[in-house]
Amino acid sequence: MDIKNRIALVIRISTRRQVFQGRCQECEEGKYGTICNETCGQHCLDSRCNQDDGSCTCKKEYKLDGDKCVPSTCPANCSTCTSLDSCDMCVGTYYYGVTCEHECTHCKTGTNCRKSDGYCYSVCADGLTGNFCDSHCNAGCETCQKWNANKCPSCKTGRYGNDGQYLTCNNHCNKNCLNNTCETWYGQCDQGCVNGYEGIYCINKCPRHCLNETCQRNTAACVHGCDDGYYGLQCFYTCTSVDSNCLVCTSNENTFSSCTRCTNGSYPGSRGKCVPCETNCSGGCNSSTG
């Protein structure tokens, strides 16, 4: 018998040993079935399973569910999974990633993102913009449009500005605006001015002789009255301009009313002007009461 015939004979004998009446006696690793044409379950221990029905002992951290090995517990944030490194569904639409390992914090709270890549279906979180909400809005914007970082529905505290159609928030409120807040379109100080300033933009100082440097925002009238020696709504007038001996006086708006304290040797008379102390006073008199 030549060499070719001998090889053919060995192959026929081997085949007869492996297959008996159309059935494989033993399958290779990972296979099962009558002719070993079925694949063992994904998470069978050592990739081996029962040759007849494919049942198997599961890997550690897996359990048998029906005829399949499934995870004993899914990764955090998974609601369903078929393996420890892949989630079918997340516990909520506020998570994304292969194992739901990421939160959709770049999306506006209460809105959803796509599990596969975190794409925000509607609105970005405050301060973020872009297709995947991974870019920042213009520095002065509290919020901005998803497709334009310079179009702002709202500004951060202390910012204002517009381009004629949208808020841009490029400008800073005047530092004299109370609580560093201003109207976001034009920058008017909407809560008033810090002490000592007046006007809609709080640019102007209160009149210099307002008591406590406090004046009304719109009229600049001194709120607490005037420093000694001055009178009028804005304390522009001097008491001595009416009476050279008058040190302190009162007024009705911008009209002089009465002197309340005079220089030494005089006191306010019945007509509101300073008059000399009585001649029988020794060493002068009280400059307010006489």
Coordinates of all heavy atoms in Angstrom, one line a residue, residues 198 205-227 229-238 249-257:
E198 N -26.3 108.9 42.0 CA -27.7 109.0 41.5 C -27.7 108.9 40.0 O -26.7 108.9 39.4 CB -28.3 110.3 42.0 CG -27.5 111.6 41.6 CD -27.9 112.2 40.3 OE1 -29.0 111.8 39.8 OE2 -27.2 113.1 39.8
K205 N -22.4 111.6 41.1 CA -22.4 111.6 42.5 C -23.5 112.5 43.1 O -24.0 113.4 42.5 CB -21.0 112.2 43.0 CG -19.9 111.3 42.8 CD -18.6 111.9 43.5 CE -17.5 110.9 43.5 NZ -16.3 111.4 44.2
C206 N -24.0 112.1 44.3 CA -24.9 113.0 45.0 C -24.3 114.4 45.2 O -23.1 114.5 45.3 CB -25.4 112.3 46.3 SG -26.3 110.8 46.1
P207 N -25.2 115.4 45.4 CA -24.6 116.7 45.7 C -23.7 116.6 47.0 O -24.0 115.9 47.9 CB -25.9 117.5 46.0 CG -26.9 116.9 45.1 CD -26.6 115.4 45.2
R208 N -22.6 117.3 46.9 CA -21.6 117.2 47.9 C -22.0 117.5 49.4 O -21.4 117.0 50.3 CB -20.3 118.0 47.6 CG -20.6 119.5 47.6 CD -19.3 120.3 47.2 NE -18.3 120.1 48.3 CZ -17.2 120.8 48.3 NH1 -16.9 121.6 47.4 NH2 -16.3 120.6 49.3
H209 N -23.0 118.3 49.6 CA -23.4 118.7 50.9 C -24.7 117.9 51.4 O -25.3 118.4 52.4 CB -23.6 120.2 51.0 CG -22.4 121.0 50.8 ND1 -21.3 120.9 51.6 CD2 -22.0 121.8 49.8 CE1 -20.3 121.6 51.2 NE2 -20.7 122.2 50.0
C210 N -25.0 116.8 50.7 CA -26.1 116.0 51.2 C -25.6 115.3 52.5 O -24.5 114.7 52.6 CB -26.5 114.9 50.2 SG -27.5 115.5 48.8
L211 N -26.5 115.3 53.6 CA -26.1 114.7 54.8 C -26.0 113.2 54.5 O -26.9 112.6 53.9 CB -27.2 115.0 55.9 CG -26.9 114.5 57.3 CD1 -25.6 115.3 57.8 CD2 -28.1 114.8 58.2
N212 N -24.9 112.5 55.0 CA -24.7 111.1 54.8 C -24.5 110.7 53.4 O -24.5 109.6 53.0 CB -25.8 110.3 55.4 CG -26.0 110.5 56.9 OD1 -25.0 110.7 57.6 ND2 -27.2 110.3 57.4
E213 N -24.2 111.8 52.5 CA -24.0 111.5 51.1 C -25.1 110.7 50.4 O -24.8 109.9 49.5 CB -22.6 110.8 50.9 CG -21.5 111.6 51.4 CD -20.1 110.9 51.1 OE1 -20.2 109.7 50.7 OE2 -19.1 111.6 51.2
T214 N -26.3 110.9 50.9 CA -27.5 110.1 50.4 C -28.5 111.0 49.7 O -28.9 112.0 50.2 CB -28.2 109.4 51.6 OG1 -27.2 108.6 52.3 CG2 -29.2 108.5 51.0
C215 N -28.8 110.6 48.5 CA -29.8 111.4 47.7 C -30.7 110.5 46.9 O -30.4 109.3 46.7 CB -29.1 112.3 46.7 SG -28.1 111.5 45.4
Q216 N -31.8 111.0 46.4 CA -32.8 110.2 45.7 C -32.2 110.0 44.3 O -31.5 110.8 43.7 CB -34.1 111.0 45.5 CG -34.9 111.1 46.8 CD -36.2 111.9 46.6 OE1 -36.5 112.3 45.5 NE2 -36.9 112.0 47.7
R217 N -32.4 108.7 43.8 CA -31.8 108.3 42.5 C -32.3 109.2 41.3 O -31.5 109.5 40.5 CB -32.2 106.9 42.3 CG -31.6 106.3 40.9 CD -32.2 105.0 40.7 NE -31.8 104.5 39.3 CZ -32.2 103.4 38.7 NH1 -33.1 102.7 39.4 NH2 -31.8 103.1 37.5
N218 N -33.5 109.5 41.3 CA -34.1 110.2 40.1 C -34.0 111.7 40.1 O -33.9 112.4 39.1 CB -35.5 109.8 39.9 CG -35.6 108.3 39.6 OD1 -34.8 107.7 38.9 ND2 -36.7 107.7 40.1
T219 N -34.0 112.3 41.3 CA -34.1 113.8 41.5 C -32.8 114.4 42.1 O -32.6 115.6 42.0 CB -35.3 114.2 42.3 OG1 -35.1 113.8 43.7 CG2 -36.6 113.7 41.7
A220 N -32.0 113.5 42.7 CA -30.8 113.9 43.4 C -31.1 114.8 44.6 O -30.2 115.4 45.2 CB -29.8 114.7 42.5
A221 N -32.4 114.8 45.1 CA -32.7 115.5 46.3 C -32.1 114.8 47.5 O -32.1 113.5 47.5 CB -34.2 115.6 46.4
C222 N -31.5 115.5 48.4 CA -30.9 114.9 49.6 C -31.9 114.3 50.5 O -32.8 114.9 51.0 CB -30.1 116.0 50.3 SG -28.8 116.7 49.3
V223 N -31.7 113.0 50.8 CA -32.7 112.2 51.5 C -32.8 112.6 53.0 O -33.9 112.7 53.6 CB -32.4 110.7 51.4 CG1 -33.4 109.9 52.3 CG2 -32.5 110.2 50.0
H224 N -31.6 112.8 53.6 CA -31.6 113.1 55.1 C -31.3 114.6 55.4 O -31.0 114.9 56.5 CB -30.5 112.2 55.7 CG -30.7 110.8 55.5 ND1 -31.8 110.1 56.0 CD2 -29.9 109.9 54.8 CE1 -31.7 108.8 55.6 NE2 -30.6 108.6 54.9
G225 N -31.5 115.4 54.4 CA -31.2 116.8 54.7 C -29.8 117.2 54.3 O -29.1 116.5 53.6
C226 N -29.4 118.4 54.8 CA -28.1 119.0 54.4 C -27.1 119.0 55.5 O -27.4 118.9 56.7 CB -28.3 120.4 53.9 SG -29.5 120.6 52.6
D227 N -25.8 119.1 55.2 CA -24.8 119.4 56.1 C -25.1 120.8 56.8 O -25.7 121.6 56.1 CB -23.4 119.4 55.4 CG -23.0 118.1 54.9 OD1 -23.4 117.0 55.5 OD2 -22.1 118.0 54.0
G229 N -25.1 124.4 57.6 CA -24.7 125.6 56.8 C -25.3 125.6 55.4 O -25.1 126.6 54.7
Y230 N -26.0 124.6 55.1 CA -26.6 124.5 53.7 C -28.1 124.2 53.8 O -28.6 123.6 54.7 CB -25.9 123.4 52.9 CG -24.4 123.7 52.6 CD1 -23.4 123.4 53.6 CD2 -24.0 124.4 51.5 CE1 -22.1 123.7 53.4 CE2 -22.7 124.7 51.3 CZ -21.7 124.4 52.2 OH -20.4 124.7 52.0
Y231 N -28.8 124.6 52.7 CA -30.2 124.3 52.6 C -30.6 124.1 51.2 O -29.8 124.3 50.2 CB -31.0 125.3 53.3 CG -31.2 126.6 52.5 CD1 -32.2 126.9 51.7 CD2 -30.2 127.6 52.6 CE1 -32.4 128.1 51.0 CE2 -30.3 128.8 51.9 CZ -31.4 129.0 51.1 OH -31.5 130.2 50.4
G232 N -31.9 123.6 50.9 CA -32.4 123.4 49.6 C -32.5 121.9 49.3 O -32.0 121.1 50.1
L233 N -33.3 121.6 48.3 CA -33.5 120.1 48.0 C -32.2 119.4 47.7 O -32.1 118.2 48.1 CB -34.4 120.0 46.7 CG -35.9 120.4 46.9 CD1 -36.6 120.4 45.6 CD2 -36.6 119.5 47.9
Q234 N -31.3 120.1 47.1 CA -30.0 119.4 46.8 C -28.9 120.1 47.6 O -27.7 119.9 47.3 CB -29.7 119.5 45.3 CG -30.8 118.7 44.5 CD -30.5 118.8 43.0 OE1 -29.6 119.5 42.5 NE2 -31.3 118.0 42.2
C235 N -29.2 120.9 48.6 CA -28.3 121.5 49.5 C -27.2 122.4 48.7 O -26.0 122.4 49.1 CB -27.6 120.4 50.3 SG -28.7 119.4 51.3
F236 N -27.7 123.1 47.7 CA -26.8 123.9 47.0 C -26.6 125.3 47.6 O -25.6 126.0 47.4 CB -27.4 124.2 45.6 CG -27.2 123.0 44.6 CD1 -28.2 122.8 43.6 CD2 -26.2 122.1 44.8 CE1 -28.0 121.7 42.8 CE2 -26.1 121.0 43.9 CZ -27.0 120.8 42.9
Y237 N -27.5 125.7 48.5 CA -27.5 127.1 49.0 C -26.9 127.1 50.4 O -27.1 126.2 51.2 CB -28.9 127.7 49.0 CG -29.7 127.5 47.7 CD1 -30.7 126.5 47.5 CD2 -29.3 128.3 46.6 CE1 -31.3 126.4 46.3 CE2 -29.9 128.2 45.4 CZ -30.9 127.2 45.2 OH -31.6 127.1 44.0
T238 N -26.3 128.3 50.7 CA -25.7 128.4 52.1 C -26.5 129.3 52.9 O -27.2 130.3 52.4 CB -24.3 129.1 51.9 OG1 -24.4 130.4 51.3 CG2 -23.3 128.2 51.1
C249 N -29.5 126.4 59.2 CA -30.9 126.9 58.9 C -31.8 125.8 58.4 O -31.3 124.7 58.0 CB -30.8 128.0 57.9 SG -30.0 127.6 56.3
T250 N -33.1 126.1 58.3 CA -34.0 125.2 57.6 C -34.6 125.8 56.4 O -34.5 127.0 56.2 CB -35.2 124.8 58.6 OG1 -35.8 126.0 59.0 CG2 -34.6 124.1 59.9
S251 N -35.3 125.0 55.6 CA -35.9 125.5 54.4 C -37.1 124.8 54.0 O -37.4 123.7 54.5 CB -34.9 125.5 53.2 OG -34.6 124.1 52.9
N252 N -37.9 125.3 53.1 CA -39.1 124.7 52.5 C -38.7 124.4 51.1 O -38.7 125.3 50.3 CB -40.3 125.5 52.6 CG -41.5 124.9 52.0 OD1 -41.5 123.7 51.7 ND2 -42.6 125.6 51.8
E253 N -38.3 123.2 50.8 CA -37.7 122.9 49.5 C -36.5 123.8 49.3 O -35.5 123.7 50.0 CB -38.8 122.9 48.4 CG -39.9 121.9 48.5 CD -40.8 121.8 47.3 OE1 -40.8 122.7 46.5 OE2 -41.5 120.8 47.2
N254 N -36.6 124.6 48.3 CA -35.4 125.5 48.0 C -35.5 126.9 48.6 O -34.7 127.8 48.3 CB -35.2 125.6 46.5 CG -34.6 124.3 45.9 OD1 -33.9 123.6 46.6 ND2 -35.0 124.0 44.7
T255 N -36.6 127.1 49.5 CA -36.8 128.4 50.0 C -36.4 128.5 51.5 O -36.8 127.6 52.3 CB -38.3 128.8 49.9 OG1 -38.7 128.8 48.6 CG2 -38.5 130.2 50.5
F256 N -35.5 129.4 51.8 CA -35.1 129.6 53.2 C -36.2 129.8 54.2 O -37.2 130.5 53.9 CB -34.1 130.8 53.3 CG -33.6 131.1 54.7 CD1 -32.4 130.6 55.1 CD2 -34.3 132.0 55.5 CE1 -31.9 130.9 56.4 CE2 -33.9 132.3 56.8 CZ -32.7 131.7 57.2
S257 N -36.2 129.1 55.3 CA -37.3 129.2 56.3 C -36.8 129.9 57.5 O -37.4 131.0 57.9 CB -37.8 127.8 56.7 OG -38.4 127.2 55.6

